Amino acid sequence: MKKIFFISCLLLVTLGVSAQKTAYVDTEYILKHIPDYKSSLTQIEGLSKQYQKEVDDVFKEVDAMYRTYQADQVLLTDDMRKRRENDIIEKEKKAKELQRQRFGPEGDLFQTRTKLLKPIQEKVSTTVAEVAKNKYIDFVFDKSSESTMMIYASANYDISNDVIIKLGFKPGTLVK
């Protein structure tokens, strides 16, 4: 009798666990099949080279100004020397500002990259979710990310609200 009960419990647990289906995708592989993605990357790369040339040109000007200053330094009065030093410092600040505007976290290149790639990534993500739902898959992981990343999960398995309640808070009430 104990054996039958144990086997029945084991069978039920096994059925419950096997009911959760998982799958993976390789988004890098998928994106290589999308022409818009390839053309966006080419556009971003061209823009990056253009921006880098702009920044390099300004830094070359700063370097030329500094070399000229060093060569003329012995001939300059203190007042002229300070003016040249200030000009060089200002030009260098402008060069660094241009570099930040082009390549910084909120820079032009980042903005363009986001504008071009986000719609493609959202389309892939939406399509992964649709395929997962059609195939009754509960969890989908991305094979190509550095750390295995879940890109789709059935809402049935989200226990976030249960955790919030257990912690003594009300779900949906966000801290401001």
Side-chain angles (χ1 to χ4, degrees), residues 30-49:
I30 292 169
L31 291 171
K32 285 180 182 177
H33 286 78
I34 301 173
D36 287 346
Y37 183 75
K38 175 74 172 153
S39 66
S40 294
L41 287 181
T42 304
Q43 189 175 345
I44 291 166
E45 187 176 318
L47 202 56
S48 175
K49 287 178 182 177

Side-chain angles (χ1 to χ4, degrees), residues 7-137:
I7 292 172
S8 298
C9 287
L10 188 60
L11 183 63
L12 287 174
V13 169
T14 305
L15 288 175
V17 171
S18 67
Q20 293 179 357
K21 291 173 68 178
T22 60
Y24 73 89
V25 294
D26 186 346
T27 53
E28 194 174 304
Y29 174 74
I30 292 169
L31 291 171
K32 285 180 182 177
H33 286 78
I34 301 173
D36 287 346
Y37 183 75
K38 175 74 172 153
S39 66
S40 294
L41 287 181
T42 304
Q43 189 175 345
I44 291 166
E45 187 176 318
L47 202 56
S48 175
K49 287 178 182 177
Q50 176 189 334
Y51 290 162
Q52 188 61 51
K53 185 180 179 332
E54 283 179 40
V55 170
D56 288 346
D57 289 347
V58 176
F59 275 111
K60 282 178 187 175
E61 287 177 30
V62 171
D63 190 46
M65 286 174 70
Y66 183 71
R67 276 191 261 123
T68 304
Y69 166 74
Q70 282 185 321
D72 297 344
Q73 188 174 11
V74 290
L75 305 172
L76 301 173
T77 65
D78 285 343
D79 189 41
M80 292 170 73
R81 205 175 300 135
K82 284 189 190 270
R83 266 189 295 184
R84 285 253 193 111
E85 288 171 0
N86 287 337
D87 290 345
I88 293 169
I89 290 170
E90 284 301 311
K91 189 75 167 180
E92 188 174 22
K93 282 181 184 178
K94 287 179 181 178
K96 288 180 180 179
E97 177 62 22
L98 178 64
Q99 187 175 36
R100 189 192 62 71
Q101 283 177 330
R102 297 295 193 214
F103 296 105
E106 299 295 320
D108 297 337
L109 189 64
F110 181 80
Q111 298 290 334
T112 302
R113 182 180 200 83
T114 302
K115 185 178 83 177
L116 293 174
L117 297 181
K118 190 173 183 176
I120 297 168
Q121 291 168 333
E122 286 176 352
K123 184 177 180 181
V124 169
S125 182
T126 302
T127 305
V128 167
E130 288 173 10
V131 170
K133 286 177 185 174
N134 291 339
K135 291 188 170 220
Y136 302 103
I137 296 171

